[in-house]
Every structure is written in C-alpha cells, then in structure tokens.
Amino acid sequence: MTTRVDNAQTATDPTDTLGTVIDDVIRPRAPIVDRDGAFPRPGVDALAAAGLLGLASSTEVGGGGHGMRAVAEVIERLAAECGSTAMVVLMHYAATAVIEAHGPRDVRAAIAAGDHLTTLAFSEYGSRSHFWSPTGTATAADDETVRLDARKSWVTSAGEANSYVWSSLPLTPDVGPMTLWLVPADSAGLSVTGDFDGLGLRGNGSRPMTADGLRVPSTARMAADGAGLDAALGAVLPWFLVLNAAFCLGLADSAVAEASRHLTRTTLTHTGAALRDSPVTRRDLARLMIRTDALRTFLGDTLTALETGRADAMLRVLQVKALAGGTVADVTDGAMQLCGGSAFRKELGLDRRFRDARAARVMAPTTDALHDFVGRVATGLPLFDEANR
C-alpha cells in the first residue's frame, strides 16, 4: 500500500482559511442543502477559491502538497457542519489520489488550482457495493479510442464534477479484474440517469450515471490494463477509508457538542434543575464522549501507522472505517435520545447529523465487507478470493 501521508505545513496554509469558509458559506447553507437536496455548489466554489480542493495535490503542479492528516482534518471540520459538502470533498480527494499517481499533468494542475472537481465512479447496478467487481465494459476501437458502456448506480457529484475516475472490465480478458479511466464530464454518451432523494447526505448528488457508447482516447487509461484494482487498493482505498473515518468523527463530535449544549442550557421550570443535573444524563453524555474520543484516538493511530510505515498500517486502514461507521451511528442515536423531543425539531441540527451518519455503514466497502477483510488480514488470507478478483 503506497500513499503520501506527509503533514506539510506552509506559511500560506489554506487550512487557515477553512474556518472563514465554514462560517461564511457552509454552516449557513447546511440546512438549505439538506432541506432542498441541493448540491452545495457555493460551498464547493468557496473551498476551491481558498485553495482547499488542491490541498492534496503535489506542489510540482501547484498544489498544497499536504498529506492525509491535514486533509482528514478538513473533512472532519466540514462534516461537523455539512455532511453533504464533506462527502463531495471527500470523494474529490479520493479521486485526486489516483489521478496524482496515474493521471495527466494538465488535470492534476487544474485540480491543484481549484479549477477542477473530480470524483469516483465505481459502484454499478450489477455488482452493487462490490466495487472490485465491475460489470461495465471497455472495448478498443480502430481509431485509438476506447468505448465504455456501464450503468453506475451511485456517483457522488454526478453531473457536477469535471471528471470521473471510472472503473470497467479490462480491455483484454484475464489480465486483471478492473481497469481505470479518467472520463471528462463533457464526454458524448455520458449521462445522469436518475435523481437522488436520500435519507441523509441529501445534497451530495449521488445519482446514477450511464455510459452508452462513451468514447475516450486510449490515453485516458490510468495504470495498466487490468491493474485498476491494484491502483484502487494502493492509491484510492487508504484515502477513502481514512477520510470516511474523519467524516464520521466530525459528525459524532458535533452531535456530542450539540447534546452537551442542550443539556446545559435547558432547565425544567417546575424544579429549577438543568437537564445536566441528572447523574444518569451526565453518564449517558459521558459514554458518547468516550466513544467519540476513542474513534479520534484510533484515527490518529491509523494516520501514524501510515506515516511511519508500520507493519499494521493496512490493518488499521481497514479497521478504521468499520469502527467509525458503528461509532457515529451509535453516538448520533444516543445524542437524539439525550435531547428528547427537541432533537426531532430542525433547530438543533441533530436530526440531520443522525440521518447523514446512516450512510457510513452501507457505503462501499460496507462495514460487513470490512469486517471480512480485517478477518482475512488477521488470519493470513488474501483480501479477495481469486474468484472474486
């Protein structure tokens, strides 16, 4: 597993401006994004203008040159305010990782400059959350182009991104399980084929897309034919899983903070006691805090394992999203119970965080799949059976 995880800091660190973008654009618009299911374009544009979309891009092409720890902090802070915006940016960073490793310089430079939003297009109707088993095809043509045909079931930022890191079966049979392509958004034959009206993450634009006779130049391939799974596991998966954990941490931490504020400022008129004056209430809040802080510690250890090349780094990467998905589901549920009927109103924002948190356990690789992967690593088995590669 190879990935850049340095924690570069510069005098013009764009993360210094993140708080301003959150205060001015993302936090005020979060309820609207959720209510209307609106793609958070103003927030994404503000992040781009602040240099944050190019945070993980190499300094060689004008990017921030930051590693995973700094990027995880950005996702955590965004998720605390607007889960939809955080997920759009998370998928952008995950796709950027493979483009940095295998993509063309002009696209890398555009991402670094904040002029290009990208995303992953892996999930398909035929294989669902088994992203490692694409069913869409790639066929070579005589004019040095490749025809792509596929029905993608979930693509974050569908119709909004400038490019899609697209998976397919390989051009040549039996050379590997998957090939990756960089597909421009304006490609003929590419279309958004459905709407998204989700329980949570309502503004992240996760809609189905279809490639019907889509043509890309053969140079659009990233990594060797059939080597797409290795590229995905090496360049994409660590970023995707770790940033998902940071996303969950941001949601959980903000839910605990909101519950703590509610318990502190809410008083029972007939007794004069605040909700926090109950030992049982304080105990339940403490449990949520401990769960959240445990996730923070585990995420920090995962980042350290990657940064230092520890032998258990891959195991930690697989574990961290599984832990995070369960933690954020339990913590947001507990915060809802602590705040009672008030949590069912929109003012606290807990209902939005509760709904956004449901996605973590079912987003591929799902928690069940990750538990299997962890068990495989722990017992010396390969991550995938040959029949499933």
Side-chain angles (χ1 to χ4, degrees), residues 246-318:
F247 171 87
C248 293
L249 177 60
L251 282 177
D253 194 52
S254 63
V256 170
E258 189 57 57
S260 179
R261 284 191 291 269
H262 179 74
L263 299 180
T264 300
R265 68 192 177 204
T266 304
T267 302
L268 300 174
T269 303
H270 64 293
T271 65
L275 296 181
R276 68 180 179 184
D277 293 333
S278 165
V280 173
T281 298
R282 294 195 300 271
R283 178 204 66 190
D284 290 346
L285 177 65
R287 287 173 173 170
L288 301 183
M289 292 177 65
I290 291 167
R291 290 287 302 276
T292 301
D293 287 342
L295 173 57
R296 185 183 304 280
T297 300
F298 198 96
L299 174 58
D301 184 68
T302 301
L303 288 162
T304 298
L306 286 166
E307 290 165 349
T308 59
R310 253 173 35 200
D312 64 344
M314 183 177 183
L315 181 62
R316 282 288 184 263
V317 166
L318 296 172

Side-chain angles (χ1 to χ4, degrees), residues 286-373:
R287 287 173 173 170
L288 301 183
M289 292 177 65
I290 291 167
R291 290 287 302 276
T292 301
D293 287 342
L295 173 57
R296 185 183 304 280
T297 300
F298 198 96
L299 174 58
D301 184 68
T302 301
L303 288 162
T304 298
L306 286 166
E307 290 165 349
T308 59
R310 253 173 35 200
D312 64 344
M314 183 177 183
L315 181 62
R316 282 288 184 263
V317 166
L318 296 172
Q319 290 173 319
V320 73
K321 179 178 179 287
L323 174 66
T327 298
V328 73
D330 292 346
V331 167
T332 52
D333 182 61
M336 290 282 290
Q337 293 183 61
L338 269 176
C339 295
S342 296
F344 280 79
R345 296 199 301 263
K346 300 292 185 182
E347 293 92 321
L348 294 185
L350 278 176
D351 72 301
R352 171 163 49 85
R353 293 173 173 89
F354 173 86
R355 289 182 284 105
D356 288 349
R358 304 304 108 179
R361 291 189 292 195
V362 299
M363 185 176 295
T366 64
T367 299
D368 286 343
L370 288 168
H371 284 156
D372 181 47
F373 292 163

